[in-house]
């Protein structure tokens, strides 16, 4: 037996020990078949696992995750896991991400094989997050044991294989996992934006009227589609004036804006979102074609794109001009994965008074996915 430990002051690695992350990477570089069964994962570790598998040309891999089916899975982690599962399938790798569905599995098992022969097995307290150190786990101390004895590795592998059976687990895209909605941190501490509670959201929603408008988000179909690549939701990629990634334009069609009850031109109203934010908005632009956040154009973008970031579907781009691969592009494929391709603007019966004493109508803005398998976190 050999110990694999975290390397954290004051408990630094001793001569008889080895850091888990270092051993994992060494074993992965020498194997062609990798099996993992853990309780929890992180977005960063899923991306790191994909990188490790690709760089080491591992041709067979299975990741089985044990705690989320009954507890619920953070939406960003879920989408990252689905993306990993899809990437393995499309690349021709014999790999998949599975979810234990019959009970809570909290073990942490890893086995490494080369040409059909077991070369290493790990048992211990290290979840997958240990392969990618970040702020949330850098000060978390873990201990595992590693064996290179074939019989012991096979014993570990037997448990992993039992967990892979249909009576215990299924492919992540074949099960309905409760999704825990994550907070849109892109709006946290932003000027002109107020956070509200779930009770307040319910109160506003109870006052909604039948005056409602479904406004599609205009985006390219995918990253290869040149249409809409530099306009509307992706206006930051337009040629000419430089814009930050968060800035968007919502262009409303004549068919919608000419409907009865649509907000009056340049008359500010208070927008309350279905995920707990409040800010001023208005309709403006030539022929009243734009729906904007009033005080800062980036607020609307931080609300919409921030939800996609929280869902783990895209990462913010700091320098748009350097994003020649359009990794920050919002596409129809992305919105389909998220679960919604439009926003809903609904008038309420309420009016509010600003700190300046101005009265204005209150409207609801909705962009949360409309599915039933969602567990909402406390707002």
């Amino acid at each position: 037996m050999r110990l694999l430990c975290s390397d954290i002051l004051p408990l630094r690695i001793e001569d008889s020990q080895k850091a888990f992350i270092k051993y994992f990477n060494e074993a992965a570089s020498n194997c062609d078949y990798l099996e993992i069964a853990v309780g929890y994962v992180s977005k960063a570790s899923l991306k790191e696992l994909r990188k490790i598998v690709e760089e080491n040309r591992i041709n067979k891999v299975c990741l089985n995750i044990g705690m989320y089916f009954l507890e619920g899975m953070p939406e960003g982690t879920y989408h990252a896991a689905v993306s990993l599962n899809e990437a393995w399938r499309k690349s021709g790798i014999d790999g998949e991400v599975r979810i234990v569905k019959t009970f809570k599995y909290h073990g942490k098992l890893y086995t490494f094989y080369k040409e059909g022969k077991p070369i290493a097995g790990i048992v211990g307290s290290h979840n997958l997050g240990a392969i990618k150190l970040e702020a949330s786990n850098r000060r978390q101390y873990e201990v595992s044991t590693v064996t290179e004895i074939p019989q012991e590795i096979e014993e570990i592998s037997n448990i992993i294989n039992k967990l892979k059976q249909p009576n215990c687990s299924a492919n992540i895209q074949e099960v309905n996992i409760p999704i825990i909605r994550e907070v849109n941190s892109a709006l946290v501490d932003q000027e002109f934006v107020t956070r509200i509670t779930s009770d307040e959201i319910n109160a506003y929603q109870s006052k909604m009227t039948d005056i409602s408008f479904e406004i599609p988000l205009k985006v390219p179909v995918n990253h290869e589609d040149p249409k809409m690549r530099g306009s509307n939701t992706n206006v930051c990629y337009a040629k000419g004036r430089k814009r930050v990634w968060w800035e968007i334009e919502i262009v409303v069609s004549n068919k919608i804006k000419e409907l009865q009850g649509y907000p009056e031109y340049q008359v500010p109203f208070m927008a309350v979102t279905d995920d707990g934010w409040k800010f001023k908005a208005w309709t403006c632009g030539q022929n009243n074609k734009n729906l904007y956040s009033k005080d800062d154009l980036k607020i609307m973008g931080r609300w919409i794109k921030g939800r996609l970031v929280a869902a783990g579907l895209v990462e913010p781009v700091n320098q748009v001009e350097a994003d020649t691969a359009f990794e920050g592009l919002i596409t129809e494929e992305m919105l389909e994965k998220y679960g919604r391709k439009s926003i809903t603007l609904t008038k309420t019966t309420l009016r509010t008074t600003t700190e300046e004493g101005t009265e204005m109508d209150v409207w609801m803005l909705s962009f949360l996915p409309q599915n039933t398998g969602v567990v909402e976190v406390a707002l």
Side-chain angles (χ1 to χ4, degrees):
M1 180 186 75
R2 188 178 180 185
L3 291 181
L4 302 178
C5 305
S6 302
D7 192 11
I8 299 175
L9 288 172
L11 298 181
R12 300 307 300 262
I13 292 292
E14 299 178 0
D15 292 340
S16 60
Q17 303 168 342
K18 196 164 192 176
F20 173 89
I21 189 170
K22 184 175 182 180
Y23 187 91
F24 180 93
N25 286 325
E26 289 176 356
S29 68
N30 291 318
C31 80
D32 54 24
Y33 177 25
L34 171 61
E35 289 187 310
I36 302 171
V38 293
Y40 298 100
V41 298
S42 67
K43 288 188 291 185
S45 66
L46 291 168
K47 293 178 182 178
E48 183 70 9
L49 180 60
R50 178 177 178 176
K51 177 183 175 183
I52 289 170
V53 169
E54 290 176 353
E55 289 183 349
N56 294 294
R57 298 184 179 181
I58 297 172
N59 53 45
K60 189 174 182 181
V61 58
C62 181
L63 168 64
N64 213 341
I65 310 171
M67 296 296 286
Y68 295 128
F69 186 79
L70 296 176
E71 288 189 353
M73 193 169 190
E75 61 179 334
T77 305
Y78 170 77
H79 286 296
V82 169
S83 177
L84 179 61
N85 187 69
E86 291 178 340
W88 283 342
R89 286 180 167 180
K90 291 178 181 178
S91 66
I93 293 174
D94 182 7
E96 67 171 331
V97 178
R98 298 182 68 83
I99 297 291
V100 176
K101 59 182 182 177
T102 51
F103 47 73
K104 289 184 178 183
Y105 166 76
H106 199 249
K108 294 87 178 176
L109 304 176
Y110 304 78
T111 56
F112 306 80
Y113 284 75
K114 179 72 171 181
E115 298 178 350
K117 297 180 180 179
I119 59 174
I122 299 173
V123 179
S125 66
H126 287 89
N127 276 303
L128 191 68
I131 71 170
K132 182 63 175 179
L133 296 179
E134 50 187 334
S136 61
N137 66 0
R138 193 169 291 275
R139 293 294 298 169
Q140 182 170 305
Y141 193 87
E142 306 280 2
V143 180
S144 296
T145 61
V146 60
T147 178
E148 296 175 356
I149 299 174
Q151 294 85 353
E152 293 179 347
I153 300 169
E154 293 287 0
E155 189 174 354
I156 298 169
S157 188
N158 286 338
I159 297 175
I160 295 176
N161 285 327
K162 288 179 181 178
L163 289 170
K164 288 165 59 177
Q165 299 306 306
N167 63 342
C168 285
S169 66
N171 186 276
I172 189 169
Q173 292 178 268
E174 298 173 359
V175 294
N176 184 23
I177 307 172
I179 303 300
I180 300 173
R181 194 72 60 213
E182 297 186 63
V183 172
N184 178 359
S185 60
L187 284 173
V188 173
D189 296 329
Q190 290 299 305
E191 191 177 10
F192 309 118
V193 181
T194 303
R195 189 86 165 104
I196 63 173
T197 67
S198 57
D199 288 341
E200 289 176 293
I201 296 172
N202 293 333
Y204 284 116
Q205 289 176 330
S206 70
K207 300 296 183 180
M208 290 194 302
T209 69
D210 294 332
I211 301 174
S212 187
F213 308 93
E214 199 72 21
I215 303 172
L217 295 175
K218 300 176 182 180
V219 295
V221 174
N222 51 42
H223 281 79
E224 287 70 44
D225 181 12
K227 297 179 181 179
M228 311 300 295
R229 187 176 281 177
S231 60
N232 298 290
T233 311
N234 296 298
V235 70
C236 59
Y237 290 100
K239 295 180 180 179
R241 181 169 71 89
K242 290 184 178 180
R243 301 172 187 250
V244 299
W245 185 77
W246 293 108
E247 189 173 334
I248 70 172
E249 290 182 350
I250 297 180
V251 178
V252 183
S253 68
N254 289 332
K255 183 178 179 180
I256 293 175
K257 69 186 182 185
E258 292 173 359
L259 292 173
Q260 185 174 0
Y262 189 74
E264 295 181 44
Y265 177 67
Q266 287 193 343
V267 176
F269 58 87
M270 186 62 70
V272 176
T273 73
D274 57 355
D275 60 340
W277 302 97
K278 186 166 64 173
F279 52 84
K280 296 176 189 175
W282 64 354
T283 62
C284 57
Q286 186 178 11
N287 298 319
N288 200 24
K289 67 176 183 178
N290 298 114
L291 172 63
Y292 282 151
S293 44
K294 182 180 181 301
D295 298 305
D296 183 345
L297 293 179
K298 297 186 293 295
I299 292 175
M300 189 71 76
R302 284 181 175 275
W303 175 56
I304 292 174
K305 288 187 173 181
R307 283 250 43 86
L308 301 176
V309 172
L313 293 168
V314 68
E315 293 292 335
V317 176
N318 292 326
Q319 292 183 308
V320 176
E321 61 275 13
D323 185 19
T324 56
F326 297 101
E327 293 183 358
L329 195 72
I330 309 303
T331 67
E332 190 172 322
E333 284 183 351
M334 185 184 299
L335 295 176
E336 286 176 351
K337 289 180 180 181
Y338 174 68
R340 190 155 185 178
K341 297 191 287 185
S342 63
I343 63 172
T344 307
L345 178 64
T346 305
K347 191 175 184 180
T348 74
T349 60
L350 302 173
R351 288 180 62 81
T352 188
T353 303
T354 67
E355 294 179 355
E356 298 80 19
T358 305
E359 283 195 4
M360 57 180 62
D361 292 331
V362 177
W363 290 70
M364 286 293 305
L365 275 174
S366 303
F367 186 52
L368 286 177
Q370 297 171 323
N371 55 51
T372 57
V374 173
V375 178
E376 296 288 353
V377 296
L379 296 172

